[in-house]
């Protein structure tokens, strides 16, 4: 499948890690390509604000990574949503992973070399990218903490990581909510993601008359190709904007 040519009728929903940014050994070690924040700002301008970042990272981290770009975003897989006007919609602070779970995970991470625990405002992620041989043990532990029918929390598999997150939130729900905002309404959503949790976002985009692009299938698994496609789109739109300002009857 080849991605469509971007035009001004689309809305963009973009995952971060593995989509806009290459995955690194640890979440803090990622490197944002120079020019990416400016490219996102340009697209945001061209699409009249219809660009949203949809990530498992907390909102504060998304902002820090993509600075000075800022705008509509969903953090922690949709647990926190920020709209274009800055309005924040977030699960109550008290709705967070219980302390005794955090302690059990903390103890295991201390015991298992290369397994990293990442605390988020509402959830927690165990990363085993640096110790893939620990994957089974990590999964056994989180399964023992979070039963499948737990009313509030669920396990979210990620690339060499597993997250305990709020059951009520999803990237798909974030797409649906953002699409009801004035900047997005009536547009054709394009969702781009690389991971299991992005499937909900892809489904939501399709249900809303748009499309979903998997980085592995459409961009050869390479965020550089996603960025190049976005850049081509921005250049193309820039060209059409310039052309449309030329008075009729005058050839360019
Ligand atoms: Mg990702």
């Amino acid at each position: 499948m080849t991605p469509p040519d971007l035009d001004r009728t689309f809305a963009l929903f973009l995952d971060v890690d593995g989509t806009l940014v290459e995955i690194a050994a640890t979440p803090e070690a990622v490197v944002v390509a120079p020019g990416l924040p400016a490219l996102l700002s340009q697209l945001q301008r061209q699409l009249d604000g219809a660009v949203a970042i949809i990530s498992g990272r907390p909102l504060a981290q998304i902002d820090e990574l993509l600075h000075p770009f800022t705008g509509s975003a969903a953090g922690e897989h949709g647990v926190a949503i920020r709209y274009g006007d800055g309005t924040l919609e977030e699960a109550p602070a008290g709705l967070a992973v219980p302390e005794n779970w955090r302690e059990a995970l903390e103890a295991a991470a201390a015991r298992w070399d290369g397994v990293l625990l990442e605390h988020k405002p509402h959830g927690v992620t165990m990363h085993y990218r640096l110790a893939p041989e620990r994957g089974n043990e990590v999964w056994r532990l989180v399964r023992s903490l979070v039963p499948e029918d737990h009313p509030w929390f669920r396990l979210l598999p990620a690339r060499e990581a597993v997250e305990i997150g709020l059951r009520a939130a999803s990237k798909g729900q974030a797409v649906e909510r953002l699409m009801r905002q004035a900047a997005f309404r009536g547009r054709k959503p394009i969702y781009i993601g690389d991971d299991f949790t992005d499937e909900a976002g892809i489904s939501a985009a399709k249900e809303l008359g748009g499309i979903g692009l998997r980085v592995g299938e459409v961009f050869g698994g390479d965020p550089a190709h996603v960025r190049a496609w976005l850049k081509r789109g921005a250049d193309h739109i820039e060209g059409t904007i310039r052309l449309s300002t030329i008075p009729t009857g005058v050839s360019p």
Side-chain angles (χ1 to χ4, degrees):
M1 180 185 180
T2 46
D5 291 326
L6 256 188
D7 65 48
R8 300 186 76 186
T9 66
F10 285 107
L12 284 173
F13 294 90
L14 306 167
D15 169 52
V16 177
D17 295 79
T19 298
L20 291 177
V21 166
E22 283 77 0
I23 293 199
T26 66
E28 308 88 70
V30 295
V31 176
V32 173
L36 176 63
L39 174 59
L40 294 172
S41 299
Q42 183 185 8
L43 286 162
Q44 186 185 47
R45 230 172 18 250
Q46 294 173 326
L47 302 178
D48 302 314
V51 175
I53 302 298
I54 312 287
S55 174
R57 290 181 184 262
L59 285 177
Q61 258 187 46
I62 298 174
D63 285 346
E64 199 180 314
L65 262 184
L66 301 177
H67 180 83
F69 171 78
T70 181
S72 299
E76 293 185 81
H77 304 103
V79 170
I81 302 178
R82 182 182 58 217
Y83 298 105
D85 62 0
T87 313
L88 202 63
E89 205 175 83
E90 190 170 5
L95 203 49
V97 166
E99 211 43 55
N100 60 319
W101 291 3
R102 290 193 193 263
E103 280 163 17
L105 295 167
E106 200 86 72
R111 211 163 52 235
W112 296 333
D113 242 8
V115 174
L116 306 173
L117 184 64
E118 183 191 358
H119 292 284
K120 298 181 178 184
H122 301 275
V124 70
T125 305
M126 283 284 258
H127 296 270
Y128 50 91
R129 174 164 298 271
L130 296 174
E133 71 282 2
R134 294 290 187 190
N136 286 339
E137 286 163 285
V138 168
W139 272 95
R140 220 173 298 135
L141 173 61
V142 294
R143 281 208 183 96
S144 74
L145 295 174
V146 191
E148 254 175 69
D149 58 352
H150 194 283
W152 301 325
F153 292 97
R154 63 168 173 180
L155 299 180
L156 292 166
R159 289 168 74 170
E160 288 160 297
V162 54
E163 174 157 333
I164 302 176
L166 283 175
R167 183 176 289 283
S170 76
K171 287 184 166 185
Q173 213 179 66
V175 170
E176 284 165 18
R177 293 197 184 189
L178 284 158
M179 280 296 287
R180 284 188 222 128
Q181 297 292 302
F184 293 83
R185 215 178 295 140
R187 288 174 176 272
K188 200 170 159 159
I190 299 187
Y191 188 102
I192 312 181
D194 71 308
D195 208 343
F196 171 81
T197 57
D198 294 307
E199 291 301 320
I202 287 173
S203 301
K206 285 182 178 165
E207 265 161 46
L208 292 161
I211 52 175
L213 304 175
R214 296 184 182 91
V215 179
E217 277 173 17
V218 182
F219 298 100
D222 188 350
H225 292 170
V226 178
R227 297 193 297 267
W229 175 77
L230 289 171
K231 177 78 174 73
R232 276 201 307 280
D235 290 347
H236 171 75
I237 294 172
E238 206 61 49
T240 57
I241 293 172
R242 235 179 282 122
L243 275 178
S244 68
T245 61
I246 296 170
T248 34
V250 179
S251 46

